Structure formats: C-alpha cells, structure tokens
C-alpha cells in the first residue's frame, strides 16, 4: 500500500492558450483538465483506492501510485497478477476501484458488468530475452534449435496469447520454414501464469530464452539478460485498457487515477518503464 500524509490538494495549472475544439485535444490534456476541475471543485477527497493491474505493470504502477498519492492525498493499493486471474476474481465478487488489463481479451467481457468504460492508456510489444552473454539465440530461427529451453506465458495469459499470435504470424510468413510453431513449442519447457514469472526463469538460469514484453526488460533485469528484438513485421503493438469498476466506492478518485494515467506525468512514467504511448 502506498501511504502519504493528507495535505492540501494541489491546483494543477490551467492552460492559457485559447481553447480548441474538444475532439482535437490529446488525451493527456483532457486528463489534466479533468483532474484540475476535480480538485478545484473539491470532488476528490482523499480515499483508499484498490487497483487491480496486470503483472507487467508492477514497476510502472508502483511509481505512478506513489506520485498520484503524493499529489492527491489518496492511498492506493495495487494487486498485481495475470490479467486472466484478476478478471476471474472480479467476476467472482472481488472488490476493486480500477482494473488495468494487459489485453482486451480479458477486459472486454467485463464491460457493462464489472467496469463502466474502456480507455487505452498504454501499449506494449513482445521481445525475446536470453541470458546476458549467451550467443545461442540471435534470431527467431534459433528458437527452434533442438535442445533449447524456452519459457512462455500460459494460454489465457495476455502475453501467452500474444506469443501464440506471433507464432501464427511467423508461420504464415514462411520466413523460418514449415511448421515453425510446432518446432518452437517442442522446445517450451514451462508455461507460466504471468509474464513476470516468465522473465524470472531466464534471470534464474532456468531457461535459454523467453518471450516477454519489452517493458519487462527493466533496469534490474538488464544486468542478467539481454533482449533479442523481433523483426518489425512481427512486433505488433498490444493495447492496455483500463476502467473504473461499477461498484467502486470512490468513483471520483478512481476516475482521477485513470486521468492521471493519461496525463503527461503518467505517460512519462509509463514510457520510462518501457511502455509505448496510448496513441
């Protein structure tokens, strides 16, 4: 849980330029105006917030939560896990104020039932990681070499679904020979319940390669692993949707958290941790 003492709420600067039509304003500007208006009207009293977030967001959201709480006086608690796990928990009555997923597959079925609306706040892309100094994997072709130990995320996990989509795209392209997915999967020794567990296997020396998000190659992980970039035509950008839950007990503050994700400060922190912008 992120704690900070209650303090006067800041008044964020308003823009002095002549207003443009609303539809031409970037998301970060709209988010800033929303937060400013919320604070000026006193509609954002400090509250305890619970945010369910995909495990790949752990580092970025920890920093975002700290800054959001410092600026607003809120107390934000995060529960990080695979998006499919969080979805199941929400469907079974778990209480949260915000749900941030790593894929639409786990988010869209909750629209109108658990979450009120959908906004994309970031994007990500897959990469392959190998132990630092290893020369066994330099291209996608090397991932089918006999005896290689590969770890991926399990089916249902967003990173696992995107990995399987990647394999299908490579197979359709025919660049690396016939039956590429079957040859790749023959080397898979473990399928993990979230992408952070996938990255950990390489860090611990229990795998020769793994498919993770680019954002998972954190500064701490870079000391132990190195990334093998995917060819551009296979490196699809994946959306991260977020929404306020219908049963949130602190809906104004939850909306302020979502607005902060879309603000210039929130987007800066997300980029710092390897995520791409929402647009």
């Amino acid at each position: 849980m992120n704690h900070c003492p209650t303090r006067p709420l800041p008044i964020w600067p308003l823009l002095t330029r002549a207003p443009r039509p609303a539809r031409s304003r970037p998301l970060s500007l709209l988010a800033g105006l929303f937060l400013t208006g919320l604070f000026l009207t006193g509609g954002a009293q400090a509250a305890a917030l619970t945010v369910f977030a995909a495990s790949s967001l752990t580092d970025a959201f920890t920093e975002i939560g700290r800054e959001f709480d410092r600026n607003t006086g809120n107390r934000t608690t995060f529960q990080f896990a695979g998006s499919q796990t969080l979805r199941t928990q929400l469907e079974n009555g778990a209480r949260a104020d915000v749900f941030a997923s790593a894929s639409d597959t786990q988010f869209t079925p909750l629209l109108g039932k658990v979450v009120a609306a959908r906004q994309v706040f970031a994007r990500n892309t897959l990469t392959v990681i190998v132990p630092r100094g290893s020369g066994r994997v330099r291209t996608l072709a090397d991932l089918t070499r006999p005896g290689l130990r590969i770890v991926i995320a399990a089916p249902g996990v967003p990173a696992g679904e995107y990995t399987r989509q990647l394999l299908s795209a490579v197979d359709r392209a025919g660049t690396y020979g016939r039956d590429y997915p079957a040859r790749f999967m023959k080397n898979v020794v473990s399928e993990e319940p979230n992408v952070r567990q996938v990255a950990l296997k390489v860090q611990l020396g229990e795998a020769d390669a793994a498919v993770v998000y680019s954002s998972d190659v954190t500064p701490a992980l870079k000391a132990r692993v190195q990334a093998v970039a995917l060819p551009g035509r296979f490196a699809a950008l994946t959306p991260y949707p977020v929404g306020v839950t219908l049963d949130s007990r602190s809906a104004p503050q939850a909306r302020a958290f979502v607005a902060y994700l879309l603000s210039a400060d929130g987007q800066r922190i997300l980029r710092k941790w390897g995520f791409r912008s929402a647009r």
Side-chain angles (χ1 to χ4, degrees):
M1 179 180 295
N2 297 317
H3 292 284
C4 69
T6 302
R7 63 181 66 187
L9 299 177
I11 298 178
W12 290 16
L14 292 170
L15 297 178
T16 56
R17 291 187 294 179
R20 294 180 294 174
R23 64 177 179 273
S24 66
R25 292 175 178 171
L27 285 175
S28 59
L29 173 56
L30 293 176
L33 291 175
F34 173 81
L35 284 169
T36 301
L38 194 59
F39 296 152
L40 287 174
T41 59
Q45 300 300 316
L49 292 177
T50 300
V51 177
F52 278 21
S55 60
S56 54
L57 293 164
T58 299
D59 296 301
F61 267 32
T62 297
E63 181 172 349
I64 283 173
R66 183 168 60 247
E67 292 302 307
F68 175 73
D69 288 358
R70 183 177 65 82
N71 281 289
T72 64
N74 290 298
R75 301 177 304 281
T76 307
T77 300
F78 296 99
Q79 181 161 329
F80 297 108
S83 298
Q84 78 290 346
T85 299
L86 298 173
R87 171 191 168 184
T88 298
Q89 292 174 352
L90 289 168
E91 288 177 325
N92 284 280
R95 196 196 71 79
D97 298 290
V98 176
F99 177 41
S101 173
S103 81
D104 279 320
T105 300
Q106 303 301 333
F107 188 91
T108 301
L110 302 183
L111 278 173
K113 299 176 182 178
V114 176
V115 291
R118 169 190 179 274
Q119 289 180 282
V120 174
F121 67 93
R123 298 182 187 277
N124 215 337
T125 188
L126 294 179
T127 191
V128 175
I129 59 171
V130 300
R132 179 159 291 282
S134 171
R136 299 188 67 187
V137 177
R138 299 183 184 277
T139 70
L140 285 176
D142 295 329
L143 294 174
T144 62
R145 292 171 53 184
L148 198 74
R149 299 173 301 162
I150 300 175
V151 177
I152 61 175
V157 181
E161 295 299 317
Y162 291 134
T163 297
R164 287 159 178 80
Q165 292 175 20
L166 165 68
L167 295 177
S168 295
V170 172
D171 192 43
R172 288 193 301 271
T175 308
Y176 302 105
R178 297 181 57 186
D179 301 322
Y180 182 88
R183 289 184 287 122
F184 175 99
M185 293 299 296
K186 189 174 181 180
N187 285 339
V188 173
V189 296
S190 179
E191 299 181 42
E192 299 297 318
N194 66 67
V195 72
R196 284 303 173 95
Q197 289 295 106
V198 175
L200 183 62
K201 291 289 186 178
V202 176
Q203 184 178 2
L204 295 176
E206 297 177 10
D208 302 309
V211 183
V212 298
Y213 293 119
S214 295
S215 63
D216 290 310
V217 189
T218 62
L221 191 62
K222 284 179 181 177
R224 304 292 298 274
V225 309
Q226 60 192 48
V228 178
L230 299 176
R233 65 187 183 281
F234 300 132
L237 289 176
T238 61
Y240 275 58
V242 65
V244 175
T245 61
L246 292 170
D247 65 352
S248 172
R249 299 172 186 171
S250 305
Q253 295 85 353
R255 288 193 291 270
F257 179 84
V258 173
Y260 187 78
L261 292 179
L262 298 169
S263 72
D265 286 341
Q267 292 291 298
R268 174 184 56 78
I269 294 172
L270 285 163
R271 287 193 299 272
K272 169 186 171 181
W273 289 102
F275 290 89
R276 309 292 181 88
S277 63
R279 287 189 170 182

